[in-house]
């Protein structure tokens, strides 16, 4: 999973730096989204022990993913019949691919919040439906 997240992060950062010379405000916003996506992908290698930091990273990844989806769906009404051959179609498809590329990064950040990972946040708190601590030793499931 780390190789996938590293590849996604490197791709986001390279795309952000390649399109850095554009003067349009729309391109600056898209470059900022790509740069933030690259930083969030790189941050998935770091396993924070504080649950609020892990939760903030997961929320930021989710917000960026939905922003990519919003960009895609805002461009869809402007499509013509040859949308896939236009620059607008390329921008829309890249926003859609960027949104789906954030899914494994979100999985890595949310893994820190769950108890499934070896490096996840282990606190006294257990799941909502978990038995109390004094009965936990007696149950076998």
């Amino acid at each position: 999973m780390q190789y996938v997240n590293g590849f996604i992060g490197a791709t986001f950062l390279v795309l952000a730096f390649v399109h850095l010379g554009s003067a349009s405000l729309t391109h600056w916003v898209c470059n900022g989204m790509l740069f933030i996506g690259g930083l969030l992908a790189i941050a998935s290698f770091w396993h924070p022990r504080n649950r609020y930091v892990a939760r903030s990273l997961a929320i930021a990844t989710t917000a960026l993913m939905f922003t990519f989806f919003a960009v895609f769906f805002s461009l869809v009404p402007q499509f013509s019949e040859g949308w896939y051959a236009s620059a607008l179609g390329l921008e829309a498809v890249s926003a859609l691919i960027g949104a789906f590329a954030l899914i494994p990064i979100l999985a890595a950040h949310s893994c820190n919040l769950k108890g499934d990972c070896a490096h996840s946040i282990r606190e006294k708190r257990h799941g909502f439906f978990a038995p109390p601590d004094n009965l936990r030793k007696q149950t076998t499931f």
Side-chain angles (χ1 to χ4, degrees), residues 96-127:
L96 187 65
I97 291 172
F100 280 111
L102 285 171
I103 292 174
I105 296 161
L106 177 61
H109 288 305
S110 66
C111 183
N112 288 323
L113 295 172
K114 299 176 187 175
D116 299 340
C117 300
H119 58 267
S120 65
I121 300 169
R122 299 280 184 181
E123 295 180 356
K124 280 282 202 192
R125 290 183 39 181
H126 302 291

Side-chain angles (χ1 to χ4, degrees), residues 7-67:
F7 176 74
I8 291 170
T11 304
F12 276 155
L13 291 176
V14 165
L15 287 174
F17 285 120
V18 164
H19 298 290
L20 199 58
S22 179
S24 169
L25 179 65
T26 307
H27 285 94
W28 275 104
V29 171
C30 290
N31 285 343
M33 289 172 39
L34 289 171
F35 187 72
I36 291 170
L39 291 180
L40 286 171
I42 301 297
S44 69
F45 294 124
W46 173 56
H47 307 294
R49 296 293 178 200
N50 186 346
R51 70 175 173 201
Y52 297 112
V53 173
R55 185 174 292 150
S56 298
L57 289 171
I59 289 171
T61 305
T62 305
L64 185 64
M65 182 176 63
F66 284 125
T67 304

Side-chain angles (χ1 to χ4, degrees), residues 15 19 27 30 34 68 71-72 75 79 82-98:
L15 287 174
H19 298 290
H27 285 94
C30 290
L34 289 171
F68 272 117
V71 166
F72 172 75
L75 293 174
F79 286 167
W83 67 270
Y84 49 85
S86 67
L88 183 66
L90 180 63
E91 185 177 343
V93 169
S94 64
L96 187 65
I97 291 172

